[in-house]
Amino acid sequence: MSLEGKHVLVGVGGGIAAYKAVLLVRELGRRRALVKVAMTPSATRFVGASTFGGITGTPPVTDLWDPSYPGEVHVELAAWTDAIVVAPATANLLARAAAGMADDALLATLSCAECPVVYAPAMHERMWLSPPTVRNVERLREDGARFAGPLRGPLASGEEGWGRLAEPEEIADTVAAALVGGDQLAGKTLVISVGPTLEDIDPVRFISNRSSGRMGFALASVARDRGARVVVVMGPTSVQPPPGVEVHAVRSAREMQQAVNDVADDADAIIMTAAVADYRPAEMAEQKIKKTGNKDHMSIELVKNPDILAGLGAARKGTRPALVGFAMETHDVVAYARRKLTQKKVDFMVANEASVGFGRDDTQVTIVDHDGDHPQPPGSKMAAAGAVLDRLAKLLA
Ligand code: C5P
């Protein structure tokens, strides 16, 4: 989306991802925005002011006390800018912004700006999920700010988690949506089922699968960033759901069906990413099943679980809620997905091979709809989520 003639202030916070703000400035320039940069004092320790000066043609504002600035630099910058995008937004910067502090040039500008503000956070997952940061993000959202990311993936510490800076294109898309009101999913409610289900055999044993929930959480966080109200119905997983979404935790397929059906009436779309167990033990033993004598074999009788998605497809009158299924197979995945498209009466299926998607942060999906197969480039689950939500937004438009 073109940003021709728009004035965008890029606020750079002091985090390791500060160097990526250079790519964001370039991306905004490519979309023909007029860009200025303000850096916090700690940002200048990570990336040189002259880099930003070189690509924007204007030296970045780094110091409220610089005598070479005429007048009140923060007031002038705030009046000049049509949108402010803060990238990377550190935990400290979010805390100061949420509190309305104005103790450096960027924060002072934020505190007197009346334009849309986009934060692109980047920090360690534990900082991002810490109660104060969660509170600060909620406060800033309530004040009208938008968020792009963070993404899940490898972090600077070498660990993996939520906390990577969003890609420059995604941040620029969020700025464009804020400026031109193009939020694809504003006002829509999306129900997303996530993770495995767990079917009890006895009080200590269960049947489940290796679904991590990452794909569903990626969809939830991208949908949230695009303005949707997101309701996540999640089976047991150790991966944390993204903040800013409503979470209903369930255990078994039947609990998941109940929870999804309870919220289905409010939904504009239901996306079933959950790996719902096809079968469950016919009966759950009330006591732990004991090894019996010299028996070398034992069997557990399984009965079929309800097919949640097919149930929604069969019950649907008209085109709402839109229904999206996921198909994960070890082979012939697109052919199976096409069969499920008609069997389950859904709008489209997202197919991926178990060897590519399971338990990882990257994937390669093919969108299978009534018009044909649409393979997507391999990439992050966030990027795949973006493609799925683009397709869904067209359906809901
Ligand atoms: O038939 P299969 O399990 O491969 O279909 C996958 C799709 O159907 C997924 O979207 C999954 O969430 C959904 N599903 C369901 N209820 C089941 C099994 C699968 O909603 N019992």
Side-chain angles (χ1 to χ4, degrees):
M1 202 183 294
S2 168
L3 291 170
E4 176 98 50
K6 298 288 184 195
H7 293 180
V8 179
L9 176 68
V10 176
V12 186
I16 294 168
Y19 72 95
K20 294 186 186 164
V22 177
L23 303 175
L24 172 64
V25 170
R26 212 178 52 184
E27 175 63 21
L28 293 166
R30 205 181 57 73
R31 298 185 189 207
R32 315 199 73 72
L34 297 163
V35 182
K36 288 188 181 180
V37 173
M39 303 172 75
T40 65
S42 47
T44 62
R45 292 171 169 249
F46 285 97
V47 58
S50 45
T51 306
F52 291 110
I55 49 173
T56 61
T58 317
V61 177
T62 56
D63 183 2
L64 265 184
W65 308 108
D66 186 333
S68 63
Y69 298 133
E72 291 188 297
V73 66
H74 55 296
V75 179
E76 281 172 27
L77 259 185
W80 172 85
T81 189
D82 295 315
I84 302 178
V85 49
V86 182
T90 59
N92 181 50
L93 196 152
L94 292 170
R96 291 191 296 138
M101 288 175 71
D103 52 351
D104 66 33
L106 172 58
L107 270 291
T109 308
L110 280 166
S111 72
C112 64
E114 291 179 321
C115 61
V117 178
V118 173
Y119 292 96
M123 64 196 74
H124 190 278
E125 179 180 70
R126 283 196 291 279
M127 294 174 92
W128 174 245
L129 296 175
S130 71
T133 304
V134 170
R135 274 199 302 276
N136 294 329
V137 169
E138 282 315 297
R139 168 75 57 85
L140 291 166
R141 275 186 198 283
E142 280 162 22
D143 290 344
R146 287 158 195 259
F147 282 78
L151 307 181
R152 230 195 112 78
L155 304 173
S157 63
E159 292 162 277
E160 197 191 279
W162 294 99
R164 279 175 72 80
L165 188 71
E167 298 300 333
E169 295 77 18
E170 194 195 326
I171 303 174
D173 282 347
T174 311
V175 174
L179 275 172
V180 254
D183 248 356
Q184 282 183 320
L185 296 171
K188 305 288 183 202
T189 296
L190 263 55
V191 173
I192 305 176
S193 75
V194 176
T197 66
L198 203 143
E199 312 295 332
D200 287 313
I201 298 170
D202 68 17
V204 295
R205 303 187 182 94
F206 55 79
I207 298 174
S208 191
N209 59 67
R210 285 166 43 203
S211 168
S212 65
R214 285 187 173 86
M215 188 65 228
F217 289 149
L219 277 161
S221 73
V222 178
R224 176 206 62 201
D225 287 346
R226 294 187 184 184
R229 173 185 162 227
V230 179
V231 182
V232 164
V233 177
M234 65 180 246
T237 165
S238 57
V239 179
Q240 291 283 339
V245 305
E246 211 176 298
V247 177
H248 299 260
V250 298
R251 186 173 172 88
S252 65
R254 286 185 296 175
E255 279 179 32
M256 182 171 277
Q257 182 178 44
Q258 183 68 51
V260 170
N261 287 346
D262 284 349
V263 287
D265 282 348
D266 291 341
D268 293 287
I270 300 177
I271 308 179
M272 290 289 302
T273 70
V276 185
D278 291 322
Y279 292 89
R280 66 175 184 276
E283 269 174 61
M284 178 187 154
E286 275 174 26
Q287 293 182 338
K288 184 181 168 202
I289 300 170
K290 303 297 292 172
K291 273 196 295 272
T292 40
N294 49 8
K295 250 169 77 177
D296 283 342
H297 299 270
M298 81 163 288
S299 51
I300 299 170
E301 193 192 348
L302 300 178
V303 294
K304 210 165 194 175
N305 265 328
D307 190 316
I308 305 170
L309 187 57
L312 292 164
R316 179 168 70 156
K317 301 194 174 55
T319 55
R320 291 291 176 273
L323 296 177
V324 180
F326 270 68
M328 157 89 63
E329 303 285 351
T330 49
H331 59 285
D332 294 334
V333 62
V334 172
Y336 280 120
R338 181 149 296 290
R339 211 172 299 165
K340 287 170 200 169
L341 180 73
T342 42
Q343 271 170 1
K344 302 193 190 220
K345 296 196 172 72
V346 301
D347 295 294
F348 64 92
M349 295 289 301
V350 183
N352 68 337
E353 286 209 17
S355 60
V356 184
F358 237 36
R360 299 169 43 153
D361 276 313
D362 57 337
T363 188
Q364 194 275 313
V365 302
T366 299
I367 294 177
V368 178
D369 65 14
H370 297 283
D371 300 330
D373 305 339
H374 312 279
Q376 304 298 313
S380 69
K381 286 189 174 170
M382 288 287 178
V388 170
L389 292 173
D390 283 343
R391 178 76 192 78
L392 180 66
K394 284 200 193 108
L395 206 69
L396 296 178

